[in-house]
Amino acid sequence: MSSKKKNSSALDFFLASKNMHWIPVGASVFATNIGSGNFVGLAGSGAASGIGVASFELNAIFVLILLAWVFIPVYMAAEVNTMPEYLTKRFGGDRIRICIAVLSLLLYIFTKIAADLYAGALFIQLALGYDGDQGEFVSIFILLLVAAGFTIAGGLSALMWADLVQTVLMVIGAVGLMILSFRAVGGYNELVRKYVADEASGNASTCGVLPGYSMHLFRPILPGESDLPWTGMLTGMTISSIWFWCADQVTVQRVLAAKSLTHAKAGCLFAAVLKFLPMYLVVFPGMAARILYKNTVACSTPEVCSKVCGSKSGCTNIAYPELVLNLLPVAILCSLTSIFNSASTIFTMDIWSKIRKQASDVELLVVGRVSIVVLLAISVAWVPILRELRSAELFVYVNQVANFLAPPITAIFMMAILIPRTTEEGAFWGLMIGLFLGVARFVLEYCFPAPLCSLGLIDTRARWIKWFVDDIHYLHYGLLLFLVTFAITLTISLISQPTPATEEDKDAIIETELEKRLTNSCAIVLLVATVSIFVYYA
């Protein structure tokens, strides 16, 4: 009876009646991000090139504070349920809202859903011994039965409380696995020594050679010199992070479900504290896996890797599954349910409600649940393509796609909130041109990949394609997309009629002085701690 009552309206199903405590808010934000895709991706990148990938997690701490102090007060004052809806209230009209909604769904398919399905299926395949494409789809089907069924049956409130439980279980399991991993390689100092000294089997190829900067977060900036140039970390990484944490429905929907601004801020700070964990709980164990399983995780030729994991690009993605299956009896996967719920929210509220303006709550609930099934079908079709893409590292693939498609969204949201003179016309054309440039890079990146690491292969791509794809790092390209979108939006806004300010923009949300002091103090402590880690591992 209670479940039926809570899910009796679209607001209850999609936003948990906006009555959530800060603890489940923060835990849900963290669990939504650190699902199976991140466990596989972070550990795989750690195995491939060291601790550099942890900068994505540490960078999120800064951006979560930005979400709490800059974006959330505006969203709550505007009383919006989805991110595209905010743009409609800010600019008027529906074309930007629909474009952002469609683009968000595409990002969910190409990154979040497909990546989590691939990662979760990888766990199940290795655990149950399934081989080949048939085994992959059987594993995906098992995941879908659990995740989709839970999402369709329950609303956001049920998902967020489940995320709290999953967060506790994930942290406990990951801490145990981290301890076992360090013990297996002889401790932290031995892990660093063995990792730096390690050379992958089959060293006739350069594929398995570790970089000389594996224990540094800040890395060289010239093309081909490093996988994560420090200039891209400070710019492109931050831009895509602002989209993910401040303008993406999956994350913001959980914060909007908070009962007050103070609970929303506290939830963001709680999630930020938890973001310190992945570097130690996932990245370092991934590095340990490379040492412990040299013949599988550290395979160095396309032929060997194809036999080991079915991918010619490399097998570092199996680093965490190998640790789990060899050192722990159980693996815990999550985050798919949260993505399904947010994707159905955007489709229902921002697309279907425009097609059917008089739709009832019952119709919206049905459409939301059906849309989950459709999104799943499209995402499943993308998984085999994802497996065959150039990048051997799942985390790299996810962040490449995000930096090709998300920077225009980041630019539009930041200008909508921070620059009152931004107009609907400027935002629309800035978004369209930025999206076109992002899709162009996306197509070239995966239609004209570099040859696999193996002797005797010649790069036959045109020189301009090689320059465009290889010499412009994806993080730098994200910065360029942001700047182009910003410049076009600002230029057109200045020569077009200004958008009248709405009442929502003028409203304020009141906090007590004690609440402000507590949250501000916690934010300062978090910032100091994060900067200290960056300095230590610079």
Side-chain angles (χ1 to χ4, degrees):
M1 178 67 71
S2 175
S3 176
K4 182 177 180 180
K5 181 179 179 181
K6 288 182 179 179
N7 289 325
S8 60
S9 72
L11 179 63
D12 295 334
F13 183 79
F14 293 121
L15 282 169
S17 299
K18 295 187 177 181
N19 195 39
M20 297 300 293
H21 190 274
W22 65 269
I23 293 178
V25 168
S28 184
V29 169
F30 176 75
T32 297
N33 170 245
I34 198 71
S36 58
N38 267 43
F39 271 98
V40 169
L42 283 172
S45 291
S49 61
I51 67 172
V53 69
S55 57
F56 285 91
E57 302 301 302
L58 298 174
N59 177 273
I61 296 172
F62 295 104
V63 182
L64 278 166
I65 294 173
L66 187 68
L67 168 65
W69 267 259
V70 177
F71 288 84
I72 284 298
V74 175
Y75 296 150
M76 284 190 163
E79 298 181 347
V80 297
N81 297 325
T82 68
M83 297 300 92
E85 181 187 359
Y86 168 72
L87 295 179
T88 292
K89 288 196 172 187
R90 170 65 175 82
F91 296 122
D94 289 325
R95 59 179 182 174
I96 294 180
R97 179 178 186 173
I98 294 174
C99 288
I100 292 289
V102 172
L103 182 55
S104 297
L105 292 176
L106 290 176
L107 278 164
Y108 295 160
I109 291 170
F110 290 134
T111 59
K112 300 173 185 291
I113 300 177
D116 276 343
L117 285 176
Y118 172 77
L122 191 60
F123 265 108
I124 296 175
Q125 275 185 280
L126 292 174
L128 301 182
Y130 293 139
D131 294 320
D133 292 341
Q134 184 177 1
E136 181 176 67
F137 281 105
V138 169
S139 303
I140 290 173
F141 181 72
I142 294 173
L143 278 175
L144 295 185
L145 282 179
V146 178
F150 188 79
T151 308
I152 293 171
L156 182 61
S157 179
L159 295 180
M160 292 179 69
W161 285 111
D163 284 343
L164 175 59
V165 175
Q166 289 172 342
T167 297
V168 174
L169 294 176
M170 278 194 300
V171 171
I172 293 174
V175 167
L177 185 58
M178 178 191 69
I179 293 172
L180 293 174
S181 300
F182 279 127
R183 180 182 297 175
V185 296
Y188 174 81
N189 291 331
E190 280 298 294
L191 167 64
V192 174
R193 185 189 68 79
K194 291 178 180 178
Y195 186 86
V196 172
D198 179 58
E199 290 184 353
S201 60
N203 248 356
S205 166
T206 60
C207 290
V209 175
L210 286 167
Y213 46 73
S214 58
M215 289 304 298
H216 296 276
L217 291 174
F218 292 99
R219 300 180 171 187
I221 64 174
L222 295 179
E225 286 193 356
S226 73
D227 56 340
L228 292 172
W230 67 266
T231 49
M233 286 172 50
L234 297 179
T235 56
M237 180 188 296
T238 302
I239 289 168
S240 61
S241 291
I242 291 175
W243 162 73
F244 185 89
W245 297 106
C246 303
D248 178 43
Q249 185 70 17
V250 174
T251 302
V252 180
Q253 183 174 350
R254 274 126 194 87
V255 185
L256 289 178
K259 62 174 63 177
S260 68
L261 178 59
T262 299
H263 278 268
K265 284 185 174 181
C268 292
L269 292 176
F270 182 36
V273 170
L274 295 175
K275 294 302 285 183
F276 283 108
L277 300 178
M279 177 175 177
Y280 302 98
L281 300 187
V282 185
V283 177
F284 279 119
M287 296 165 64
R290 182 188 181 94
I291 297 169
L292 296 172
Y293 313 114
K294 294 182 180 180
N295 294 327
T296 55
V297 175
C299 64
S300 59
T301 64
E303 296 76 19
V304 173
C305 293
S306 182
K307 293 179 180 179
V308 170
C309 64
S311 173
K312 295 181 179 179
S313 304
C315 291
T316 53
N317 284 330
I318 69 171
Y320 206 82
E322 285 283 359
L323 287 173
V324 171
L325 297 176
N326 286 281
L327 301 181
L328 280 182
V330 183
I332 301 170
L333 310 174
C334 72
S335 91
L336 275 174
T337 53
S338 299
I339 299 167
F340 294 159
N341 183 269
S342 297
S344 66
T345 302
I346 286 183
F347 180 82
T348 304
M349 297 298 190
D350 296 306
I351 297 178
W352 187 260
S353 64
K354 296 304 171 185
I355 299 173
R356 293 269 298 169
K357 297 183 182 297
Q358 303 300 322
S360 65
D361 269 352
V362 173
E363 180 179 340
L364 292 177
L365 290 172
V366 171
V367 169
R369 289 173 167 127
V370 171
S371 67
I372 293 173
V373 178
V374 176
L375 286 169
L376 289 178
I378 300 173
S379 301
V380 169
W382 183 254
V383 170
I385 301 174
L386 189 157
R387 186 184 59 190
E388 297 301 323
L389 292 178
R390 174 177 71 173
S391 176
E393 301 172 43
L394 181 62
F395 202 76
V396 171
Y397 159 77
V398 170
N399 284 285
Q400 281 179 334
V401 176
N403 273 272
F404 300 155
L405 301 181
I409 303 178
T410 301
I412 297 305
F413 271 90
M414 291 188 68
M415 295 183 74
I417 291 174
L418 301 176
I419 303 178
R421 187 62 177 82
T422 306
T423 67
E424 191 274 345
E425 189 174 359
F428 176 78
W429 288 110
L431 178 65
M432 290 298 98
I433 295 174
L435 178 59
F436 172 79
L437 295 175
V439 171
R441 173 63 186 261
F442 179 88
V443 172
L444 289 175
E445 184 83 23
Y446 296 110
C447 289
F448 299 95
L452 292 171
C453 283
S454 184
L455 296 178
L457 294 180
I458 301 175
D459 192 344
T460 59
R461 296 174 297 169
R463 182 177 299 178
W464 72 269
I465 293 179
K466 185 177 183 300
W467 170 80
F468 191 62
V469 172
D470 292 349
D471 292 348
I472 303 178
H473 194 275
Y474 68 89
L475 291 177
H476 291 152
Y477 194 77
L479 171 62
L480 293 175
L481 277 179
F482 177 85
L483 294 177
V484 169
T485 304
F486 186 95
I488 292 172
T489 301
L490 184 61
T491 301
I492 297 178
S493 294
L494 291 175
I495 62 177
S496 59
Q497 290 295 321
T499 302
T502 62
E503 290 301 319
E504 289 84 356
D505 294 324
K506 299 175 183 177
D507 288 341
I509 299 178
I510 299 174
E511 286 185 286
T512 66
E513 194 61 33
L514 177 60
E515 289 171 343
K516 287 183 179 179
R517 289 181 180 179
L518 286 174
T519 53
N520 290 345
S521 299
C522 291
I524 292 172
V525 171
L526 277 174
L527 291 172
V528 172
T530 310
V531 170
S532 300
I533 292 178
F534 271 112
V535 171
Y536 182 80
Y537 285 106

